[in-house]
Amino acid sequence: MVGTRTTSPAGGLSHRAWGRRSVDRIDHSDLAELVSDVGPAPLNVGVVVLLGAGATSDELVLALVDRLGRVPRLRQRLVTPPVVLGRPYWVDDDTFDPQAHLRHQVCAAGDTAAVLDVAATALTEPLPRTRPLWRVHVVSTPDGRPAALVLVAHHAVTDGVAGLWVLQRLLDGAGPADLPPADVLLPPRAPDLLLENGAALRRRIAGLPRALARLWQGGLELGPGPWFGTGAPRTSLNRPTGPRRRIAAVDVALAPLLAAAHRQGCSFNDLLLVATTSAMAQVLAARGEHPDRLVASVPVSGHPAALVDEPGNSVGAMLIPVPLTGATRDRVAAVARSTRARKVAARGSSSSLMVPAFRIAGRAGAFHWVTDRQRLLNTFVSNVRGPTGPLAVAGTPVLELVPIAATAGNVGVAFAALSAAGRLVVSVITDPDVAPETDELASRVGAELTAMADLAGA
């Protein structure tokens, strides 16, 4: 028998197994996030769910425990075997208790800025590797009303698209009770790990020529500068980051921006890239710096659909140089051309080729040194499309979804966008010691997006 998983009638742990036990290893994209987590702030991602009036704290906690406890990945922990036994793998945590992953906090001010301060602290708290890699902060007002939920997971667990699927398991009407009984992942035996790792190694060797060809193609399309570390200009926003983060967010209507993108013959992501880098350029100008371009790293989802049926990372990345001079229309057009040219190469992730180098650098203690000095990129810009209809949790209306994501190395400013229910929320995530202008950046992004929306009627 090639491999089996065992399932108990109630979806709990069952210790009957026969033949070889299946091995649910993290893939190369997940491993890249795991081995990259070497900086002073952990590589966590998440979302802030701002709530209206509705359920009590007790009712909300009951819903959280029931719904999140039904997602198989959230009941599993990572095991890192010796190198000869291959990549880390998931097993069920037989001591799993959803309540242990919930934290209760009172937000003194009770406003969005105060909640985002709570989220920034939650984002920078490491998640124990001995337990499932997630946590939910239930944030209440001083009078006890639930004000927000802050969901945080390690980036090795999920990317933005797959994380949205986890979020939907939390929302009313998502059908968490309809999930099939959970497959149980028992700890595999060493001989099974050796056999499975040997087969995987043979597949990687067989695919090496193709991976090298894709890497070479990507290098040609990006140009020699970014691949060799000199493609992004030096700026004061690119200094080694520390353990602290600040988050600010701007909320704008989505429809005018989609109309502007259609009129320009570009994607909405192209508008977002120009708006965010323009905000950075204005802050840099106030510092006396005037680069002619900034380079943004943009994730390219490899998921086959807008939503997927399990967590995990399936993403490539492309580096997009964004010009900072010229008319807005011309800049948008230039970004659209770059995006179209590079998206195909980025979608074929070369992580299977790069992760071994990451692991070697990490073991040698050099990875953090390299990321603190890289000149590949100036910022990260991500965008995820969320649900379109009204949202609620345990009968409580969701007022806003605010994405939060890690920024690391010498990238002092990052942006995360999430569209849902006709609104677009763009989060600005900064190291306040590198970029104290967090609120100013958010304000300038909002102004740029408003100006972009005016393109629809021009």
Side-chain angles (χ1 to χ4, degrees):
M1 188 173 292
V2 174
T4 61
R5 296 183 183 181
T6 61
T7 305
S8 68
L13 287 177
S14 168
H15 292 286
R16 292 190 302 115
W18 58 92
R20 297 178 190 161
R21 298 177 182 179
S22 60
V23 183
D24 186 5
R25 293 190 189 272
I26 61 175
D27 67 15
H28 289 287
S29 295
D30 300 338
L31 183 58
E33 302 299 341
L34 195 65
V35 301
S36 300
D37 189 2
V38 294
L43 289 183
N44 294 337
V45 296
V47 65
V48 180
V49 183
L50 297 174
L51 300 171
T56 65
S57 291
D58 289 342
E59 292 169 336
L60 198 61
V61 166
L62 284 174
L64 289 171
V65 169
D66 176 59
R67 297 177 185 185
L68 292 175
R70 290 176 180 267
V71 180
R73 181 64 82 226
L74 300 187
R75 298 197 304 271
Q76 297 163 354
R77 61 183 176 85
L78 267 180
V79 176
T80 302
V83 174
V84 294
L85 297 183
R87 300 190 305 276
Y89 54 86
W90 299 101
V91 297
D92 282 271
D93 183 3
D94 54 9
T95 64
F96 174 68
D97 177 10
Q99 292 273 8
H101 292 262
L102 301 185
R103 286 193 181 178
H104 299 266
Q105 293 181 249
V106 174
C107 186
D111 61 9
T112 299
V115 171
L116 292 182
D117 286 341
V118 172
T121 300
L123 190 69
T124 56
E125 291 182 357
L127 296 161
R129 296 283 178 91
T130 56
R131 298 168 49 189
L133 295 170
W134 64 276
R135 186 184 295 130
V136 176
H137 294 247
V138 181
V139 184
S140 301
T141 59
D143 61 1
R145 181 185 69 81
L149 303 172
V150 180
L151 288 73
V152 176
H154 194 281
H155 211 325
V157 175
T158 185
D159 61 21
V161 174
L164 194 58
W165 180 86
V166 174
L167 174 64
Q168 287 221 344
R169 298 300 95 195
L170 173 66
L171 300 174
D172 293 351
D178 299 331
L179 287 173
D183 288 335
V184 174
L185 294 174
L186 299 175
R189 294 183 288 260
D192 298 334
L193 288 172
L194 280 171
L195 287 170
E196 194 270 351
N197 188 44
L201 182 60
R202 288 192 294 273
R203 289 193 298 270
R204 287 199 298 274
I205 293 173
L208 186 59
R210 182 180 179 184
L212 287 170
R214 297 193 73 95
L215 186 63
W216 178 252
Q217 179 188 8
L220 289 176
E221 292 182 0
L222 288 171
W227 278 111
F228 291 99
T230 59
R234 295 180 182 273
T235 79
S236 58
L237 295 176
N238 296 112
R239 292 190 287 111
T241 54
R244 297 199 305 145
R245 296 293 179 268
R246 275 210 66 215
I247 302 170
V250 58
D251 181 339
V252 297
L254 179 62
L257 290 167
L258 295 177
H262 177 74
R263 185 178 180 88
Q264 284 284 96
C266 65
S267 72
F268 165 71
N269 280 344
D270 300 328
L271 296 183
L272 183 63
L273 281 168
V274 172
T276 51
T277 53
S278 293
M280 290 180 66
Q282 293 167 47
V283 167
L284 288 170
R287 296 181 175 194
E289 301 173 47
H290 304 277
D292 62 352
R293 74 194 187 288
L294 292 172
V295 178
S297 176
V298 181
V300 181
S301 177
H303 293 292
L307 293 178
V308 294
D309 60 359
E310 62 180 17
N313 287 270
S314 181
V315 65
M318 56 184 179
L319 300 178
I320 303 297
V322 183
L324 300 178
T325 58
T328 299
R329 290 179 181 276
D330 295 336
R331 295 171 59 211
V332 170
V335 169
R337 288 192 298 270
S338 295
T339 303
R340 284 192 293 267
R342 298 172 185 184
K343 187 171 292 186
V344 174
R347 200 178 294 276
S349 173
S350 60
S351 60
S352 62
L353 193 62
M354 301 302 292
V355 166
F358 287 2
R359 298 182 79 176
I360 293 171
R363 288 180 180 275
F367 193 86
H368 186 208
W369 186 91
V370 171
T371 57
D372 275 353
R373 291 160 178 79
Q374 64 81 32
R375 291 187 60 195
L376 290 165
L377 57 102
N378 299 108
T379 188
F380 299 102
V381 182
S382 64
N383 176 40
V384 176
R385 185 181 304 171
T388 58
L391 309 175
V393 179
T396 303
V398 173
L399 304 181
E400 189 172 89
L401 297 176
V402 181
I404 53 178
T407 179
N410 63 355
V411 178
V413 179
F415 304 90
L418 173 62
S419 58
R423 306 295 298 180
L424 172 74
V425 177
V426 181
S427 299
V428 182
I429 305 101
T430 70
D431 177 337
D433 297 314
V434 176
E437 304 96 334
T438 314
D439 293 327
E440 179 184 350
L441 282 162
S443 177
R444 291 186 182 279
V445 168
E448 290 292 328
L449 290 172
T450 299
M452 296 283 185
D454 292 340
L455 293 174

